[in-house]
């Protein structure tokens, strides 16, 4: 496992749409292991492959202390409700803003071996999943609020 460099706001890579994972092979496993190690090192609670510069639809999320969920090629199949709460991002260190997200999401995805699964998430976990899926589409949480837009303007970044 290796700690990879985090791509930060202002870098064009973060704005690109990630491609689906097609090969569920050793290099995908290594990427996920590195993403997890990097997330732990940087004290994040979620990370997408694009944040380590790899444009593939892969996410790692912390569930509980020492428990992690790997989510490949996720699709949101159902959402319910709306909640506004504080968010941050490893790619935008030191900035936090209240973002509105679904209270509940149902997701289909694949594990690292290419096995399809479905899961439901609520509240904090739903927020985390939606934030990471946005990353796969080149969207950052700073795009979603006036405070975030102001932050980008002040820092001269897109
Ligand atoms: Co983020």
């Amino acid at each position: 496992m290796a700690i990879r460099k985090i791509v930060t706001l202002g870098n064009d890579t973060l704005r690109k749409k990630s491609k689906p994972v097609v090969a569920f092979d050793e290099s995908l496993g290594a990427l996920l292991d590195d993403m997890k190690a990097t997330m732990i090192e940087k004290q994040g609670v979620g990370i997408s492959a694009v944040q380590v510069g790899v444009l593939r639809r892969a996410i790692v999320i912390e569930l509980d202390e020492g428990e992690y969920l790997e989510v490949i090629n996720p699709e949101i199949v159902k959402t319910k409700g709306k909640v506004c709460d504080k968010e941050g991002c490893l790619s935008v260190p030191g900035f936090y803003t209240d973002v509105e997200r679904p209270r509940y999401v149902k997701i289909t995805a694949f594990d690292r071996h290419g096995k399809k699964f479905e899961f439901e998430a609520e509240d904090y976990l739903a927020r985390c999943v939606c934030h990471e899926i946005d990353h796969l589409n080149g969207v950052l949480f700073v795009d979603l609020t006036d405070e975030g837009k102001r932050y980008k303007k002040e820092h001269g970044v897109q």
Side-chain angles (χ1 to χ4, degrees), residues 77-96:
V77 292
K78 193 175 177 182
T79 68
K80 267 192 246 171
K82 280 176 185 170
V83 187
C84 206
D85 207 350
K86 205 59 98 189
E87 261 178 53
C89 179
L90 290 176
S91 294
V92 192
F95 179 73
Y96 303 88

Side-chain angles (χ1 to χ4, degrees), residues 14 46-48 51 87-92 101 128 131-132 135 139-141:
L14 285 179
I47 192 167
S48 55
Q51 290 180 278
E87 261 178 53
C89 179
L90 290 176
S91 294
V92 192
R101 298 285 187 188
C128 206
H131 176 115
E132 299 309 330
H135 271 300
V139 175
L140 297 172
F141 78 126

